[in-house]
Amino acid sequence: MSDARLRLNWLASVLLWALLPAAMAAETPLPETEQAAAVTGDVAAPALPEGLEWQTNLTDPIYGDPNARRGGRFRTYVTSFPLTLRLVGPDANSGFASFLRANNLGLINFHPDTLNPIPELATHWAFGPDRKSVYFRLDPDARWSDGTPVTADDYLFTMEFMQSRYILEPWYNNYYSEIVTHVVKYDDYTISVHAADAKPEDELLATVGISPTPRHFHRLDENWVKEYNWKIEPNTGPYIIGDLRKGKWVEFVRKQDWWGNDKRYFRHRFNPDYVRVKVIRDANMAYNYFRKGELDTFSLIMPRFWHRKAQGREYDAGYIGRIKFYNDVPQPKQGLYLNEDDPLLANRDVRYGIAHSLNIDRVIERVLRGDYERMHTMHEGYGDYTNNTIRARAFDLQRADHYFTQAGFDRRGADGIRRNAAGERLAVRITYYSDEHTARLVVLKEEARRAGLELTLQLLDPSAAFKQIMEKKHQAAWMAWSGGGLSPRYWEFFHSVNAHKPSTNNITNTDDPRMDDLIMRYQQATEKEERIRLAHELEALVHEIGSVIPTYKVPYAREGFWRWVRLPEQHATRTSGTVFSPFGVSGGLFWLDEEHKAEVERARLLRQSYEPLLIIDERWREPQP
C-alpha cells in the first residue's frame, strides 16, 4: 500500500453507507412467509410481486482486448504478509485483502467507463416500488471455486453470517442489520435484497448489490475466527489462492474453466495463469527487484521514483516502459486524522492550530516536485457532491499562534516547544506505515517547530500501524482511505455509533450530535438534489470540527512496466486506480507476451535496444482552469 494511491478499486468501498436506526427498518414488517424465507429459506417460497420491470445491460462496450493472450505468471508485491485470509473479523482489513475481495463478485457492478450498472452474479434486476428493494435473477452458470452452484441460499447465508456475533465484526453486524435489512428467496435463482431506506436507483443498486457467502463452507460457532484464519474460502471470481508461503508470498491461480470466461464484460480479461504477490517490506528494495526483472510492474507515483529512479539503460533501451494515465475517480482521502479521544486533541483550538502548522504546500513543492495537488476536503472527485467552496486551512504561523494560545499553550520552553500552565508540552505522535512518507513528514515536523508544535514520527509495519489505528490507540494517523462509491460516505467515518470502539472507521472518534443528525438526514434523502445539499453541509461540518486535515491528491496513475507486459489500445479505463491491477471491475486488462519476454531478455544480453517507451494518456484528464 504505497503513497496516496491506496485504492482497492473505485467501487471497492461501494457498500459503505450511512446507518439507519433499526427501529426504522422495522416500520414496515415483512409478511410472515417472507420473514421466514428471509431467514431460513425453508418455508414455501413467496410469490414475486406483479408488474416488475426486469432490466439488464448487455449493450455497453466490451473493454477487454480481443488481442489479449492467456498465460504466464504476473509478479507483484505487498509490503506485509496478511495476518489472516479471512475477509471479516480481527485483522481482516489489510492491503492484501483487496486481492481477496476483488475475487468475490457482487450481484451487479458498474461499467468502469460508462458507469452504468452491468451484470455480475445476477443477469437481471428490477426495482421495487418502495425504492428500498431490488429483485435479482441469479446467473445459473455461476459457480464457487469448488464447483458448487451459487444459489439464493448463499445470499440468505450472507445475512446470517454478517449478523453473527461469532465473526467479531461490529461494522458488518451493523451494516447487514441496519443498512441492508434482509434477503428474500423466491426460488433457487431469484431473490430480493432490501435496504433500510429509499435511494436513487444507482445508489440503491450499489447498496444492495451484495456478495454471496458459501453456506457449505462455513461452520459458525465460537471457534470460527481461529479455525478459519488460514482457510481458503471458495470464491466466485476468476482466481483463487493456489499456494502460499507464510511471510514470503501468496500465489493466485486462474480457474481455467471459470464460469465467467465467456460473459460479455469478462471477455479477454484476467489473462495471466498465475498472480504471485511477493512480500517485500521496503519499496526501495521492491524497485530493485523490478529493475532486475523480478517484478513485472512497479508504481512510479512517487516523484522520486518517476523523476530520479526511472531512468538509465533499462529505460533508454526500451526494455522498461513508463505510463502516466489520468483517471476520473473519487480521490483517496489522504490526510492527518486526529483522535478526538486524546485529551490534547479533544480541544478544537489545538486541532485548528495543528492544521495551520502543517506546511503541506512546501511538502508538495519540495518533496513531491509539484506533482501532487492540494486537497481541500475529505471527499473530492464526486462531481456535484464535492463542496468546492471549502478551502483547507493554510500554513499560517499567526493563526497557529492564535489558536494554540487560546488553548492555553501560551509559552515556550527552552527547546522552542509550547507549554501550558501545567507544563504540558504541545507534542503530537503521528503514526504512519510507509518509509516513503518519512521525507514528507520530516518537512512537516521542521515547519511545525516554527509554530511551537513538536511532531513525533512513529513508523510502523503496515499491519501493525493499521492495527493500532483500528484499535483507536493512535494520537494522529497519517493515512489514506480508498476513494469509491457514487457519493461521499459519512456514517462509518463520523457517526457516533462508530466512535470510542475498535474496528470501525471512525478513527477520529468524532461524536457530535449535529453530525449524527445530518448523517441520518443524508441517508434518508431519496432525491439527488437533497443529498447533494446535505453532503455539502456535512463536508462543511467536517471542516468545522477539524479532526481531519486533508493533504494532497493525485489525479493519475504512473507506473513502470517491462516491455513484455502488453496493454489494450485504451490502456486502462476511466476509473482505473492503477493500470496493472490484475483483478477487479476495471482490472485484468493487460496480458503477458511470453514470446516477447524471451526476445527482450535476449536483447538485454546482447545489449540491443528498442525505442524508449513513454505513454502519456490524458483522455480522462479534467479540464485545467
Side-chain angles (χ1 to χ4, degrees), residues 49 179-180 186 206 216 223 255 362 437 444 480 555 581:
I179 308 303
V180 175
Y186 299 93
H216 64 283
N223 299 314
K255 306 168 189 174
R362 180 167 289 247
H437 290 239
L444 293 182
S581 173

Side-chain angles (χ1 to χ4, degrees), residues 5 7 327 557 559 572 575-582 586-587:
R5 309 296 285 178
R7 303 164 187 258
N327 48 28
E559 298 181 66
T575 52
S576 292
T578 65
V579 176
F580 298 103
S581 173
S586 59

Side-chain angles (χ1 to χ4, degrees), residues 234-362:
N235 64 23
T236 53
Y239 291 87
I240 187 73
I241 292 176
D243 198 6
L244 63 83
R245 183 173 299 172
K246 286 188 178 181
K248 301 294 185 180
W249 47 262
V250 179
E251 185 163 272
F252 292 83
V253 59
R254 193 186 198 284
K255 306 168 189 174
Q256 296 303 315
D257 57 349
W258 182 47
W259 66 271
N261 277 333
D262 297 323
K263 302 296 180 180
R264 178 178 179 85
Y265 300 110
F266 295 141
R267 290 178 195 164
H268 317 303
R269 297 174 56 207
F270 314 118
N271 299 299
D273 285 337
Y274 304 94
V275 175
R276 175 164 289 199
V277 184
K278 185 177 179 64
V279 176
I280 307 175
R281 300 186 184 279
D282 177 76
N284 295 303
M285 184 181 297
Y287 181 75
N288 291 335
Y289 275 88
F290 168 66
R291 191 152 189 166
K292 289 188 293 185
E294 296 178 24
L295 297 177
D296 293 296
T297 64
F298 189 86
S299 172
L300 301 174
I301 197 69
M302 287 173 283
R304 70 184 187 86
F305 282 110
W306 180 261
H307 293 287
R308 289 167 47 200
K309 290 206 167 191
Q311 55 183 292
R313 173 155 180 78
E314 290 85 358
Y315 297 89
D316 296 339
Y319 307 142
I320 298 177
R322 294 184 297 160
I323 182 170
K324 183 176 184 179
F325 182 86
Y326 285 86
N327 48 28
D328 180 18
V329 296
Q331 290 293 312
K333 294 173 276 291
Q334 176 72 50
L336 185 66
Y337 294 80
L338 307 178
N339 186 348
E340 294 179 42
D341 276 359
D342 182 84
L344 176 65
L345 301 177
N347 188 315
R348 190 175 70 175
D349 287 327
V350 170
R351 300 196 297 268
Y352 283 11
I354 292 171
H356 286 298
S357 302
L358 299 184
N359 198 341
I360 304 297
D361 289 337
R362 180 167 289 247

Side-chain angles (χ1 to χ4, degrees), residues 1-190:
M1 303 193 301
S2 63
D3 210 75
R5 309 296 285 178
L6 296 178
R7 303 164 187 258
L8 306 181
N9 177 281
W10 85 282
L11 282 174
S13 302
V14 78
L15 294 181
L16 305 176
W17 291 92
L19 177 67
L20 187 78
M24 293 193 67
E27 285 179 359
T28 52
L30 286 170
E32 289 184 5
T33 55
E34 291 200 11
Q35 289 179 12
V39 175
T40 67
D42 292 334
V43 299
L48 278 168
E50 296 182 0
L52 292 178
E53 297 182 6
W54 291 99
Q55 306 176 27
T56 191
N57 178 4
L58 296 176
T59 57
D60 276 8
I62 295 174
Y63 52 101
D65 191 325
N67 296 312
R69 301 181 189 179
R70 290 271 165 82
R73 174 176 277 106
F74 178 67
R75 300 161 301 169
T76 185
Y77 83 101
V78 291
T79 55
S80 63
F81 197 80
L83 298 175
T84 180
L85 296 182
R86 288 181 283 96
L87 283 172
V88 300
D91 302 318
N93 281 322
S94 68
F96 181 79
S98 63
F99 292 94
L100 298 173
R101 292 194 172 101
N103 277 290
N104 277 345
L105 304 180
L107 286 160
I108 60 95
N109 217 316
F110 292 84
H111 192 286
D113 285 332
T114 69
L115 310 186
N116 295 323
I118 56 176
E120 273 199 351
L121 293 174
T123 61
H124 296 75
W125 50 92
F127 294 97
D130 60 359
R131 302 177 70 178
K132 300 180 181 181
S133 54
V134 184
Y135 298 78
F136 294 97
R137 289 176 177 166
L138 305 182
D139 192 329
D141 295 335
R143 293 289 186 276
W144 294 106
S145 46
D146 59 9
T148 304
V150 179
T151 69
D153 288 337
D154 295 311
Y155 291 90
L156 293 177
F157 185 63
T158 288
M159 298 302 297
E160 178 185 342
F161 180 85
M162 294 300 185
Q163 292 173 358
S164 172
R165 63 186 175 88
Y166 296 130
I167 68 173
L168 303 182
E169 186 62 84
W171 191 92
Y172 285 106
N173 291 165
N174 279 330
Y175 186 90
Y176 282 89
S177 299
E178 302 178 12
I179 308 303
V180 175
T181 59
H182 57 282
V183 173
V184 178
K185 172 183 175 181
Y186 299 93
D187 59 45
D188 283 347
Y189 292 99
T190 310

Side-chain angles (χ1 to χ4, degrees), residues 431-537:
T431 300
Y432 67 112
Y433 45 77
S434 172
D435 190 45
E436 299 300 329
H437 290 239
T438 298
R440 309 172 195 188
L441 288 164
V442 166
V443 170
L444 293 182
K445 178 184 174 76
E446 292 171 350
E447 293 290 299
R449 287 191 70 88
R450 296 170 58 192
L453 168 66
E454 181 176 72
L455 299 179
T456 302
L457 308 184
Q458 183 187 45
L459 173 62
L460 298 177
D461 170 89
S463 295
F466 203 74
K467 185 178 181 68
Q468 180 191 106
I469 293 165
M470 294 307 288
E471 290 177 353
K472 315 296 175 68
K473 295 178 180 178
H474 64 292
Q475 194 173 18
W478 176 267
M479 64 175 296
W481 295 99
S482 61
L486 306 180
S487 57
R489 312 187 306 264
Y490 296 97
W491 171 76
E492 80 241 41
F493 294 109
F494 297 110
H495 197 284
S496 62
V497 73
N498 293 316
H500 325 302
K501 65 176 72 169
S503 300
T504 73
N505 292 353
N506 187 349
I507 62 171
T508 60
N509 282 310
T510 297
D511 183 354
D512 189 311
R514 298 172 302 163
M515 181 70 77
D516 288 353
D517 176 63
L518 278 174
I519 288 172
M520 302 317 299
R521 288 161 55 195
Y522 177 69
Q523 170 61 21
Q524 295 160 21
T526 60
E527 300 301 326
K528 187 172 182 179
E529 294 75 12
E530 176 70 1
R531 285 178 59 80
I532 289 172
R533 183 184 66 78
L534 289 167
H536 287 196
E537 290 186 31

